[in-house]
Amino acid sequence: GQQLNQSPQSMFIQEGEDVSMNCTSSSIFNTWLWYKQDPGEGPVLLIALYKAGELTSNGRLTAQFGITRKDSFLNISASIPSDVGIYFCAGQLPEGSQGNLIFGKGTKLSVKP
Amino acid sequence: DSGVTQTPKHLITATGQRVTLRCSPRSGDLSVYWYQQSLDQGLQFLIQYYNGEERAKGNILERFSAQQFPDLHSELNLSSLELGDSALYFCASSVGVRGGTDTQYFGPGTRLTVL
């Protein structure tokens, strides 16, 4: 089945630093989504990308949909303690396929004040 | 708050038992998805319903079943429970249009513990 390779698995950074994480796949996706999950909570949508090459920002977060449609990255600038959590990328397959999302394994972010 | 509600928040039961998890989608959303999240497998898609009809099936065991009712809420039934079924179960909802812009919003999840 389709798989997403998300890296890094975990990051431990100092408050104020920038963060970058990415996802790659052997499959083409129509949509890339980035979610954040806090312990015991459901994933919360951060950014949705719908077109190849699209670059979208949400506050200190910026994400891009790769030109090949097989990859995406998420950047967080000037990290703060509340950025702590697990970040998941998710890809949605092209029209005609199932509507479900394929998730990466997550990047666990820890921020030291 | 995503607008998706799930009950119960926690469920503890014994092996061999049957449980029902409930999900109410966001207002206006016709599609409901069920996912299982375990430590070793990550988030795995189980099944999708659209306006009462099954639309897509993922890695759902035969012991599990789901349905979506006329008021669009959905239930996930898990039977003959095994220790390995312990996990977080999430429901997500979306408008349900096919194609690129159908974004899924997740509920807070139900934590199932099978003893």
Side-chain angles (χ1 to χ4, degrees):
Chain A
Q2 293 84 7
Q3 285 190 337
L4 290 184
N5 300 309
Q6 185 172 351
S7 64
Q9 270 189 317
S10 62
M11 302 181 74
F12 191 87
I13 62 169
Q14 198 79 26
E15 182 178 358
E17 288 183 358
D18 296 343
V19 171
S20 186
M21 58 192 78
N22 70 85
C23 276
T24 60
S25 173
S26 57
S27 300
I28 289 175
F29 289 100
N30 247 20
T31 300
W32 282 95
L33 304 167
W34 285 92
Y35 288 88
K36 182 191 176 200
Q37 186 177 21
D38 292 327
E41 304 292 328
V44 174
L45 182 66
L46 299 174
I47 291 181
L49 302 158
Y50 301 115
K51 284 174 56 177
E54 181 180 354
L55 183 71
T56 296
S57 292
N58 177 8
R60 294 177 296 106
L61 277 60
T62 302
Q64 184 157 32
F65 192 146
I67 290 290
T68 64
R69 295 169 65 191
K70 294 182 179 181
D71 64 303
S72 177
F73 72 75
L74 174 71
N75 288 340
I76 305 173
S77 63
S79 58
I80 59 177
S82 62
D83 290 335
V84 165
I86 302 178
Y87 292 79
F88 291 97
C89 63
Q92 189 163 45
L93 295 167
E95 189 167 358
S97 304
Q98 297 176 357
N100 56 293
L101 297 174
I102 312 296
F103 279 86
K105 296 284 189 188
T107 295
K108 185 176 182 179
L109 179 63
S110 302
V111 179
K112 186 178 180 182
Chain B
D1 185 352
S2 66
V4 179
T5 61
Q6 287 187 251
T7 57
K9 191 156 178 66
H10 301 278
L11 200 47
I12 301 175
T13 188
T15 54
Q17 295 298 305
R18 173 190 168 94
V19 297
T20 297
L21 313 183
R22 182 188 168 105
C23 167
S24 292
R26 295 186 320 155
S27 175
D29 284 357
L30 298 179
S31 222
V32 168
Y33 309 76
W34 286 98
Y35 290 85
Q36 180 191 57
Q37 186 178 39
S38 57
L39 281 174
D40 56 340
Q41 290 293 323
L43 271 158
Q44 298 284 319
F45 168 71
L46 295 178
I47 197 164
Q48 177 196 2
Y49 277 81
Y50 174 76
N51 204 20
E53 300 288 326
E54 182 184 304
R55 179 175 267 185
K57 218 169 198 177
N59 302 318
I60 188 166
L61 300 172
E62 283 192 13
R63 300 183 285 109
F64 296 179
S65 64
Q67 57 185 134
Q68 187 178 26
F69 294 87
D71 67 352
L72 300 177
H73 91 270
S74 178
E75 292 180 356
L76 178 67
N77 301 297
L78 316 176
S79 61
S80 303
L81 285 168
E82 302 174 0
L83 295 177
D85 296 329
S86 295
L88 273 166
Y89 290 84
F90 289 104
C91 168
S93 76
S94 72
V95 172
V97 295
R98 290 191 186 273
T101 61
D102 193 34
T103 304
Q104 295 179 31
Y105 295 88
F106 282 76
T110 292
R111 180 176 291 280
L112 174 65
T113 303
V114 183
L115 302 175

